[in-house]
PDB file of all heavy atoms in Angstrom:
ATOM      1  N   GLY A   1      99.068  58.174 -13.996  1.00  0.00           N
ATOM      2  CA  GLY A   1      98.555  59.144 -13.050  1.00  0.00           C
ATOM      3  C   GLY A   1      97.225  58.742 -12.425  1.00  0.00           C
ATOM      4  O   GLY A   1      96.487  59.614 -11.906  1.00  0.00           O
ATOM      5  N   ALA A   2      96.910  57.461 -12.434  1.00  0.00           N
ATOM      6  CA  ALA A   2      95.648  56.939 -11.879  1.00  0.00           C
ATOM      7  C   ALA A   2      95.896  56.319 -10.528  1.00  0.00           C
ATOM      8  O   ALA A   2      96.986  55.819 -10.242  1.00  0.00           O
ATOM      9  CB  ALA A   2      95.023  55.922 -12.825  1.00  0.00           C
ATOM     10  N   TYR A   3      94.881  56.332  -9.676  1.00  0.00           N
ATOM     11  CA  TYR A   3      94.976  55.675  -8.376  1.00  0.00           C
ATOM     12  C   TYR A   3      94.787  54.190  -8.535  1.00  0.00           C
ATOM     13  O   TYR A   3      93.933  53.719  -9.341  1.00  0.00           O
ATOM     14  CB  TYR A   3      93.884  56.217  -7.445  1.00  0.00           C
ATOM     15  CG  TYR A   3      94.126  57.575  -6.886  1.00  0.00           C
ATOM     16  CD1 TYR A   3      94.437  58.666  -7.703  1.00  0.00           C
ATOM     17  CD2 TYR A   3      94.021  57.811  -5.527  1.00  0.00           C
ATOM     18  CE1 TYR A   3      94.659  59.925  -7.181  1.00  0.00           C
ATOM     19  CE2 TYR A   3      94.223  59.089  -4.989  1.00  0.00           C
ATOM     20  CZ  TYR A   3      94.539  60.132  -5.799  1.00  0.00           C
ATOM     21  OH  TYR A   3      94.759  61.378  -5.287  1.00  0.00           O
ATOM     22  N   ALA A   4      95.530  53.424  -7.751  1.00  0.00           N
ATOM     23  CA  ALA A   4      95.346  51.969  -7.675  1.00  0.00           C
ATOM     24  C   ALA A   4      94.737  51.666  -6.309  1.00  0.00           C
ATOM     25  O   ALA A   4      95.339  51.943  -5.272  1.00  0.00           O
ATOM     26  CB  ALA A   4      96.658  51.263  -7.797  1.00  0.00           C
ATOM     27  N   ILE A   5      93.545  51.082  -6.310  1.00  0.00           N
ATOM     28  CA  ILE A   5      92.787  50.803  -5.084  1.00  0.00           C
ATOM     29  C   ILE A   5      92.743  49.299  -4.845  1.00  0.00           C
ATOM     30  O   ILE A   5      92.382  48.551  -5.751  1.00  0.00           O
ATOM     31  CB  ILE A   5      91.373  51.379  -5.129  1.00  0.00           C
ATOM     32  CG1 ILE A   5      91.397  52.878  -5.499  1.00  0.00           C
ATOM     33  CG2 ILE A   5      90.669  51.166  -3.801  1.00  0.00           C
ATOM     34  CD1 ILE A   5      92.140  53.738  -4.538  1.00  0.00           C
ATOM     35  N   GLY A   6      93.137  48.883  -3.672  1.00  0.00           N
ATOM     36  CA  GLY A   6      93.187  47.467  -3.350  1.00  0.00           C
ATOM     37  C   GLY A   6      91.802  46.885  -3.065  1.00  0.00           C
ATOM     38  O   GLY A   6      90.795  47.602  -3.041  1.00  0.00           O
ATOM     39  N   GLY A   7      91.771  45.596  -2.833  1.00  0.00           N
ATOM     40  CA  GLY A   7      90.517  44.867  -2.685  1.00  0.00           C
ATOM     41  C   GLY A   7      90.132  44.637  -1.245  1.00  0.00           C
ATOM     42  O   GLY A   7      90.752  45.128  -0.302  1.00  0.00           O
ATOM     43  N   MET A   8      89.106  43.863  -1.076  1.00  0.00           N
ATOM     44  CA  MET A   8      88.503  43.611   0.238  1.00  0.00           C
ATOM     45  C   MET A   8      88.904  42.249   0.780  1.00  0.00           C
ATOM     46  O   MET A   8      88.605  41.221   0.162  1.00  0.00           O
ATOM     47  CB  MET A   8      86.988  43.723   0.181  1.00  0.00           C
ATOM     48  CG  MET A   8      86.315  43.631   1.546  1.00  0.00           C
ATOM     49  SD  MET A   8      84.529  43.669   1.433  1.00  0.00           S
ATOM     50  CE  MET A   8      84.185  42.008   0.835  1.00  0.00           C
ATOM     51  N   SER A   9      89.568  42.256   1.900  1.00  0.00           N
ATOM     52  CA  SER A   9      89.751  41.005   2.622  1.00  0.00           C
ATOM     53  C   SER A   9      88.420  40.600   3.226  1.00  0.00           C
ATOM     54  O   SER A   9      87.716  41.428   3.786  1.00  0.00           O
ATOM     55  CB  SER A   9      90.818  41.175   3.732  1.00  0.00           C
ATOM     56  OG  SER A   9      90.906  40.008   4.515  1.00  0.00           O
ATOM     57  N   ALA A  10      88.104  39.333   3.137  1.00  0.00           N
ATOM     58  CA  ALA A  10      86.754  38.899   3.536  1.00  0.00           C
ATOM     59  C   ALA A  10      86.622  38.738   5.048  1.00  0.00           C
ATOM     60  O   ALA A  10      85.522  38.617   5.577  1.00  0.00           O
ATOM     61  CB  ALA A  10      86.410  37.577   2.873  1.00  0.00           C
ATOM     62  N   PHE A  11      87.747  38.730   5.775  1.00  0.00           N
ATOM     63  CA  PHE A  11      87.682  38.522   7.228  1.00  0.00           C
ATOM     64  C   PHE A  11      87.049  39.721   7.911  1.00  0.00           C
ATOM     65  O   PHE A  11      87.384  40.880   7.637  1.00  0.00           O
ATOM     66  CB  PHE A  11      89.089  38.277   7.781  1.00  0.00           C
ATOM     67  CG  PHE A  11      89.706  37.007   7.292  1.00  0.00           C
ATOM     68  CD1 PHE A  11      90.525  37.031   6.174  1.00  0.00           C
ATOM     69  CD2 PHE A  11      89.480  35.788   7.927  1.00  0.00           C
ATOM     70  CE1 PHE A  11      91.089  35.848   5.706  1.00  0.00           C
ATOM     71  CE2 PHE A  11      90.041  34.632   7.461  1.00  0.00           C
ATOM     72  CZ  PHE A  11      90.847  34.657   6.333  1.00  0.00           C
ATOM     73  N   ILE A  12      86.146  39.438   8.840  1.00  0.00           N
ATOM     74  CA  ILE A  12      85.479  40.511   9.578  1.00  0.00           C
ATOM     75  C   ILE A  12      85.510  40.200  11.080  1.00  0.00           C
ATOM     76  O   ILE A  12      85.541  39.045  11.476  1.00  0.00           O
ATOM     77  CB  ILE A  12      83.999  40.705   9.113  1.00  0.00           C
ATOM     78  CG1 ILE A  12      83.236  39.386   9.190  1.00  0.00           C
ATOM     79  CG2 ILE A  12      83.980  41.317   7.732  1.00  0.00           C
ATOM     80  CD1 ILE A  12      81.759  39.561   8.872  1.00  0.00           C
ATOM     81  N   PRO A  13      85.470  41.260  11.912  1.00  0.00           N
ATOM     82  CA  PRO A  13      85.481  41.017  13.347  1.00  0.00           C
ATOM     83  C   PRO A  13      84.121  40.591  13.862  1.00  0.00           C
ATOM     84  O   PRO A  13      83.115  40.714  13.173  1.00  0.00           O
ATOM     85  CB  PRO A  13      85.864  42.389  13.919  1.00  0.00           C
ATOM     86  CG  PRO A  13      85.385  43.355  12.901  1.00  0.00           C
ATOM     87  CD  PRO A  13      85.520  42.670  11.572  1.00  0.00           C
ATOM     88  N   ASN A  14      84.123  40.093  15.101  1.00  0.00           N
ATOM     89  CA  ASN A  14      82.885  39.729  15.772  1.00  0.00           C
ATOM     90  C   ASN A  14      82.988  40.356  17.181  1.00  0.00           C
ATOM     91  O   ASN A  14      83.797  39.940  17.993  1.00  0.00           O
ATOM     92  CB  ASN A  14      82.745  38.219  15.864  1.00  0.00           C
ATOM     93  CG  ASN A  14      81.431  37.782  16.484  1.00  0.00           C
ATOM     94  OD1 ASN A  14      80.866  38.501  17.320  1.00  0.00           O
ATOM     95  ND2 ASN A  14      80.943  36.600  16.121  1.00  0.00           N
ATOM     96  N   ARG A  15      82.165  41.365  17.392  1.00  0.00           N
ATOM     97  CA  ARG A  15      82.266  42.098  18.654  1.00  0.00           C
ATOM     98  C   ARG A  15      81.944  41.266  19.884  1.00  0.00           C
ATOM     99  O   ARG A  15      82.246  41.666  21.014  1.00  0.00           O
ATOM    100  CB  ARG A  15      81.362  43.338  18.594  1.00  0.00           C
ATOM    101  CG  ARG A  15      81.841  44.374  17.593  1.00  0.00           C
ATOM    102  CD  ARG A  15      80.864  45.507  17.383  1.00  0.00           C
ATOM    103  NE  ARG A  15      81.398  46.499  16.445  1.00  0.00           N
ATOM    104  CZ  ARG A  15      80.703  47.495  15.945  1.00  0.00           C
ATOM    105  NH1 ARG A  15      79.422  47.645  16.264  1.00  0.00           N
ATOM    106  NH2 ARG A  15      81.261  48.348  15.087  1.00  0.00           N
ATOM    107  N   ARG A  16      81.366  40.087  19.678  1.00  0.00           N
ATOM    108  CA  ARG A  16      81.037  39.180  20.784  1.00  0.00           C
ATOM    109  C   ARG A  16      82.105  38.101  20.955  1.00  0.00           C
ATOM    110  O   ARG A  16      82.011  37.291  21.880  1.00  0.00           O
ATOM    111  CB  ARG A  16      79.671  38.549  20.563  1.00  0.00           C
ATOM    112  CG  ARG A  16      78.510  39.534  20.590  1.00  0.00           C
ATOM    113  CD  ARG A  16      77.177  38.826  20.414  1.00  0.00           C
ATOM    114  NE  ARG A  16      77.087  38.150  19.165  1.00  0.00           N
ATOM    115  CZ  ARG A  16      76.720  38.706  18.014  1.00  0.00           C
ATOM    116  NH1 ARG A  16      76.427  40.018  17.998  1.00  0.00           N
ATOM    117  NH2 ARG A  16      76.648  38.034  16.908  1.00  0.00           N
ATOM    118  N   ASP A  17      83.108  38.074  20.091  1.00  0.00           N
ATOM    119  CA  ASP A  17      84.113  37.020  20.146  1.00  0.00           C
ATOM    120  C   ASP A  17      85.492  37.627  19.932  1.00  0.00           C
ATOM    121  O   ASP A  17      85.921  37.838  18.799  1.00  0.00           O
ATOM    122  CB  ASP A  17      83.796  35.975  19.058  1.00  0.00           C
ATOM    123  CG  ASP A  17      84.655  34.718  19.223  1.00  0.00           C
ATOM    124  OD1 ASP A  17      85.797  34.810  19.712  1.00  0.00           O
ATOM    125  OD2 ASP A  17      84.175  33.616  18.832  1.00  0.00           O
ATOM    126  N   PRO A  18      86.232  37.914  21.025  1.00  0.00           N
ATOM    127  CA  PRO A  18      87.539  38.559  20.886  1.00  0.00           C
ATOM    128  C   PRO A  18      88.523  37.744  20.069  1.00  0.00           C
ATOM    129  O   PRO A  18      89.382  38.332  19.372  1.00  0.00           O
ATOM    130  CB  PRO A  18      87.982  38.690  22.352  1.00  0.00           C
ATOM    131  CG  PRO A  18      86.714  38.673  23.158  1.00  0.00           C
ATOM    132  CD  PRO A  18      85.816  37.736  22.418  1.00  0.00           C
ATOM    133  N   GLU A  19      88.448  36.424  20.122  1.00  0.00           N
ATOM    134  CA  GLU A  19      89.358  35.591  19.394  1.00  0.00           C
ATOM    135  C   GLU A  19      89.159  35.748  17.865  1.00  0.00           C
ATOM    136  O   GLU A  19      90.109  35.876  17.087  1.00  0.00           O
ATOM    137  CB  GLU A  19      89.206  34.126  19.789  1.00  0.00           C
ATOM    138  CG  GLU A  19      90.217  33.207  19.112  1.00  0.00           C
ATOM    139  CD  GLU A  19      90.060  31.757  19.580  1.00  0.00           C
ATOM    140  OE1 GLU A  19      89.578  31.534  20.712  1.00  0.00           O
ATOM    141  OE2 GLU A  19      90.433  30.860  18.798  1.00  0.00           O
ATOM    142  N   VAL A  20      87.898  35.751  17.451  1.00  0.00           N
ATOM    143  CA  VAL A  20      87.576  35.962  16.018  1.00  0.00           C
ATOM    144  C   VAL A  20      88.045  37.362  15.605  1.00  0.00           C
ATOM    145  O   VAL A  20      88.623  37.526  14.514  1.00  0.00           O
ATOM    146  CB  VAL A  20      86.076  35.798  15.792  1.00  0.00           C
ATOM    147  CG1 VAL A  20      85.682  36.296  14.407  1.00  0.00           C
ATOM    148  CG2 VAL A  20      85.683  34.318  15.944  1.00  0.00           C
ATOM    149  N   THR A  21      87.830  38.327  16.458  1.00  0.00           N
ATOM    150  CA  THR A  21      88.220  39.704  16.115  1.00  0.00           C
ATOM    151  C   THR A  21      89.714  39.821  15.978  1.00  0.00           C
ATOM    152  O   THR A  21      90.232  40.475  15.042  1.00  0.00           O
ATOM    153  CB  THR A  21      87.689  40.668  17.188  1.00  0.00           C
ATOM    154  OG1 THR A  21      86.261  40.633  17.174  1.00  0.00           O
ATOM    155  CG2 THR A  21      88.156  42.094  16.929  1.00  0.00           C
ATOM    156  N   ALA A  22      90.447  39.189  16.883  1.00  0.00           N
ATOM    157  CA  ALA A  22      91.918  39.249  16.826  1.00  0.00           C
ATOM    158  C   ALA A  22      92.429  38.579  15.552  1.00  0.00           C
ATOM    159  O   ALA A  22      93.359  39.086  14.899  1.00  0.00           O
ATOM    160  CB  ALA A  22      92.525  38.593  18.052  1.00  0.00           C
ATOM    161  N   ARG A  23      91.800  37.479  15.172  1.00  0.00           N
ATOM    162  CA  ARG A  23      92.240  36.744  13.954  1.00  0.00           C
ATOM    163  C   ARG A  23      91.932  37.594  12.714  1.00  0.00           C
ATOM    164  O   ARG A  23      92.728  37.689  11.795  1.00  0.00           O
ATOM    165  CB  ARG A  23      91.539  35.401  13.864  1.00  0.00           C
ATOM    166  CG  ARG A  23      92.044  34.533  12.718  1.00  0.00           C
ATOM    167  CD  ARG A  23      91.658  33.068  12.911  1.00  0.00           C
ATOM    168  NE  ARG A  23      90.229  32.851  12.955  1.00  0.00           N
ATOM    169  CZ  ARG A  23      89.556  32.470  14.044  1.00  0.00           C
ATOM    170  NH1 ARG A  23      90.219  32.296  15.189  1.00  0.00           N
ATOM    171  NH2 ARG A  23      88.249  32.291  14.027  1.00  0.00           N
ATOM    172  N   ALA A  24      90.782  38.237  12.719  1.00  0.00           N
ATOM    173  CA  ALA A  24      90.418  39.104  11.572  1.00  0.00           C
ATOM    174  C   ALA A  24      91.400  40.264  11.440  1.00  0.00           C
ATOM    175  O   ALA A  24      91.875  40.587  10.365  1.00  0.00           O
ATOM    176  CB  ALA A  24      88.981  39.613  11.721  1.00  0.00           C
ATOM    177  N   ALA A  25      91.745  40.874  12.581  1.00  0.00           N
ATOM    178  CA  ALA A  25      92.675  41.987  12.560  1.00  0.00           C
ATOM    179  C   ALA A  25      94.042  41.550  12.057  1.00  0.00           C
ATOM    180  O   ALA A  25      94.688  42.265  11.288  1.00  0.00           O
ATOM    181  CB  ALA A  25      92.799  42.591  13.973  1.00  0.00           C
ATOM    182  N   GLU A  26      94.465  40.360  12.456  1.00  0.00           N
ATOM    183  CA  GLU A  26      95.761  39.836  12.011  1.00  0.00           C
ATOM    184  C   GLU A  26      95.750  39.629  10.486  1.00  0.00           C
ATOM    185  O   GLU A  26      96.707  40.005   9.778  1.00  0.00           O
ATOM    186  CB  GLU A  26      96.065  38.528  12.727  1.00  0.00           C
ATOM    187  CG  GLU A  26      97.381  37.871  12.315  1.00  0.00           C
ATOM    188  CD  GLU A  26      97.586  36.528  12.980  1.00  0.00           C
ATOM    189  OE1 GLU A  26      96.757  36.132  13.834  1.00  0.00           O
ATOM    190  OE2 GLU A  26      98.577  35.844  12.639  1.00  0.00           O
ATOM    191  N   LYS A  27      94.688  38.991   9.974  1.00  0.00           N
ATOM    192  CA  LYS A  27      94.592  38.712   8.557  1.00  0.00           C
ATOM    193  C   LYS A  27      94.529  40.011   7.747  1.00  0.00           C
ATOM    194  O   LYS A  27      95.168  40.169   6.681  1.00  0.00           O
ATOM    195  CB  LYS A  27      93.375  37.867   8.265  1.00  0.00           C
ATOM    196  CG  LYS A  27      93.425  36.455   8.839  1.00  0.00           C
ATOM    197  CD  LYS A  27      94.329  35.554   8.041  1.00  0.00           C
ATOM    198  CE  LYS A  27      94.192  34.091   8.505  1.00  0.00           C
ATOM    199  NZ  LYS A  27      95.070  33.191   7.731  1.00  0.00           N
ATOM    200  N   VAL A  28      93.702  40.948   8.183  1.00  0.00           N
ATOM    201  CA  VAL A  28      93.517  42.198   7.464  1.00  0.00           C
ATOM    202  C   VAL A  28      94.804  43.027   7.526  1.00  0.00           C
ATOM    203  O   VAL A  28      95.201  43.662   6.548  1.00  0.00           O
ATOM    204  CB  VAL A  28      92.300  42.969   8.007  1.00  0.00           C
ATOM    205  CG1 VAL A  28      92.219  44.358   7.387  1.00  0.00           C
ATOM    206  CG2 VAL A  28      91.027  42.186   7.722  1.00  0.00           C
ATOM    207  N   THR A  29      95.490  43.032   8.640  1.00  0.00           N
ATOM    208  CA  THR A  29      96.764  43.756   8.760  1.00  0.00           C
ATOM    209  C   THR A  29      97.764  43.261   7.717  1.00  0.00           C
ATOM    210  O   THR A  29      98.390  44.062   7.011  1.00  0.00           O
ATOM    211  CB  THR A  29      97.343  43.600  10.181  1.00  0.00           C
ATOM    212  OG1 THR A  29      96.492  44.253  11.111  1.00  0.00           O
ATOM    213  CG2 THR A  29      98.735  44.209  10.255  1.00  0.00           C
ATOM    214  N   ALA A  30      97.896  41.960   7.625  1.00  0.00           N
ATOM    215  CA  ALA A  30      98.842  41.399   6.631  1.00  0.00           C
ATOM    216  C   ALA A  30      98.424  41.762   5.226  1.00  0.00           C
ATOM    217  O   ALA A  30      99.274  42.109   4.385  1.00  0.00           O
ATOM    218  CB  ALA A  30      98.928  39.895   6.806  1.00  0.00           C
ATOM    219  N   ASP A  31      97.150  41.689   4.934  1.00  0.00           N
ATOM    220  CA  ASP A  31      96.653  41.985   3.594  1.00  0.00           C
ATOM    221  C   ASP A  31      96.890  43.436   3.239  1.00  0.00           C
ATOM    222  O   ASP A  31      97.373  43.761   2.120  1.00  0.00           O
ATOM    223  CB  ASP A  31      95.157  41.641   3.538  1.00  0.00           C
ATOM    224  CG  ASP A  31      94.558  41.791   2.142  1.00  0.00           C
ATOM    225  OD1 ASP A  31      95.028  41.105   1.235  1.00  0.00           O
ATOM    226  OD2 ASP A  31      93.646  42.641   1.977  1.00  0.00           O
TER     227      ASP A  31
END
């Protein structure tokens, strides 16, 4: 009856770089 909480994907977006942000979103989505 306990909650299972997942971990942190290390990928983060960069608001100045759309390509980095898209890659982070893709990695985090899969995770």
